[in-house]
Amino acid sequence: MAVATAARFPLRAAAEPVTPATVADARRLLGARLANTRRAAGVRQVDLARMVRWSRSTVASVETGRDGTAVNSTRVLVCV
């Protein structure tokens, strides 16, 4: 399982700097995983939004990587 995860989400090299582009890429990858997980669970965005007390548009923004929501807030989605 770790190998498949590492292949799908490669770690960046230790010497590679963190740039706005790498942060945006990571945000998009996380959002896509959250959206896929939500869909697999049969949960609509509006229902998830109610569960975590966000607006539906905030859920959509996180899932598309447009929202720079704090990591702790994104953890709420992972737990649901």
Side-chain angles (χ1 to χ4, degrees):
M1 179 90 168
V3 174
T5 302
R8 288 179 53 206
F9 303 102
L11 299 175
R12 53 181 192 83
E16 189 179 323
V18 175
T19 65
T22 58
V23 171
D25 288 344
R27 206 178 277 149
R28 278 190 293 276
L29 285 172
L30 176 60
R33 289 191 74 185
L34 290 170
N36 289 336
T37 301
R38 175 187 54 74
R39 281 190 217 96
V43 177
R44 298 178 310 161
Q45 285 182 342
V46 68
D47 298 325
L48 178 59
R50 286 183 185 131
M51 287 182 220
V52 297
R53 297 183 179 174
W54 285 357
S55 68
R56 194 227 32 98
S57 63
T58 298
V59 171
S61 292
V62 169
E63 289 183 352
T64 58
R66 288 188 313 256
D67 193 311
T69 304
V71 172
N72 288 335
S73 296
T74 304
R75 285 184 188 152
V76 169
L77 290 179
V78 172
C79 292
V80 172

